[in-house]
Amino acid sequence: WLKRIWLGDLTVSDPQPLIAMAARYAIPTMTVPEGAVVPEKVQLKMARDKTLSEEKAAAVKAKAVAHTEQRESLKKRTQEYEKEYTDHQKKLIDLRREAKLGG
């Protein structure tokens, strides 16, 4: 269920994640009763799941921040276009009025 993507010369320390994982996928969490003996493979799996969940949480947070920034940028650009459009419409109306007055 985990797919690695080849991204050329990227290393693990690069800011781009090497693992493509949708935010909706759950990473299983295992709880072990206190004092229970846990096999080595299960310990490794628990450690892997813990790091995956931390990476996923960071990726989801970064994606949310990027989405918010993008929405703000789009909102600002839309307001600028709207202002430009209304200014143009007002200019056309003023020109028509001036043309009617001038004859």
Side-chain angles (χ1 to χ4, degrees):
W1 59 270
L2 198 58
K3 185 193 301 183
R4 291 212 177 259
I5 298 175
W6 173 253
L7 295 174
D9 295 331
L10 289 179
T11 61
V12 177
S13 63
D14 286 337
Q16 293 290 334
L18 292 177
I19 298 174
M21 179 186 307
R24 67 180 179 272
Y25 294 137
I27 296 174
T29 56
M30 296 178 66
T31 56
V32 179
E34 191 173 322
V37 178
V38 181
E40 183 181 354
K41 291 283 186 178
V42 175
Q43 289 177 352
L44 292 173
K45 183 177 179 179
M46 288 171 55
R48 180 203 65 199
D49 288 345
K50 181 180 177 186
T51 57
L52 283 177
S53 64
E54 290 170 355
E55 289 175 5
K56 178 182 169 185
V60 167
K61 185 176 180 181
K63 186 175 180 179
V65 168
H67 182 70
T68 303
E69 290 174 357
Q70 181 184 25
R71 296 281 297 167
E72 291 296 323
S73 170
L74 291 173
K75 183 178 177 182
K76 182 180 177 184
R77 188 170 53 183
T78 301
Q79 288 173 344
E80 290 172 0
Y81 287 146
E82 189 174 332
K83 184 180 182 315
E84 181 181 330
Y85 177 77
T86 55
D87 290 345
H88 181 68
Q89 291 298 323
K90 287 179 184 179
K91 181 179 177 184
L92 288 177
I93 291 170
D94 290 342
L95 289 174
R96 284 188 195 122
R97 288 179 181 161
E98 187 179 315
K100 282 183 181 180
L101 290 176

